[in-house]
Amino acid sequence: MTTYSKAKANLLWARVLLAKEEGFGPGQGFRYDIADFVQEAWPEKGVPALIPVSVEARKHQEAGIKTRYEHSVPLGVLFKMMLETDTVEEMVDVIERHYQTAFVTIEEDKRINALGYRSKMPADWDGNIMARYDAAGIQF
């Protein structure tokens, strides 16, 4: 990580500590703060050619049909995991291992939501960041 991203990590950590102390959720700005931090710390996570695209979404993209860009692990789940960390280093490790975006079709997104996974992971989640897609039968 660069010095700049260490500063951003410390800002995120301060937000996590405040949330722990005050008992509140991530808030709207969290989405942008974490995306900004990830882009600085791991720029490859934002390279379109490296973002997973489902088989069906790739067909849609090639045909000019709109697809959905979404977080493999919902940000609310990621935030809760961050709340369970004890140090900025642990928080960064959680982000590095679990922050991933992907492209799916709108229909595939609806399947994920119909299973109840819009904002949560499967109950038997073992840390596999693709678990929601696996449960919905989405192939990458």
Side-chain angles (χ1 to χ4, degrees), residues 12 15 19 23-34 75-76 79 83:
L12 276 175
R15 191 172 191 157
F24 59 80
Q28 192 63 19
F30 172 73
R31 170 184 305 275
Y32 304 106
D33 292 344
I34 194 165
L75 290 181
F79 186 74
L83 288 176

Side-chain angles (χ1 to χ4, degrees), residues 8 28 44 46 72 77 80 89 96 104-105 114 129 140:
K8 287 184 179 184
Q28 192 63 19
E44 68 278 3
S72 301
V77 172
K80 288 177 185 174
E89 292 82 13
E96 183 176 18
V104 297
T105 67
I129 61 173
F140 283 84

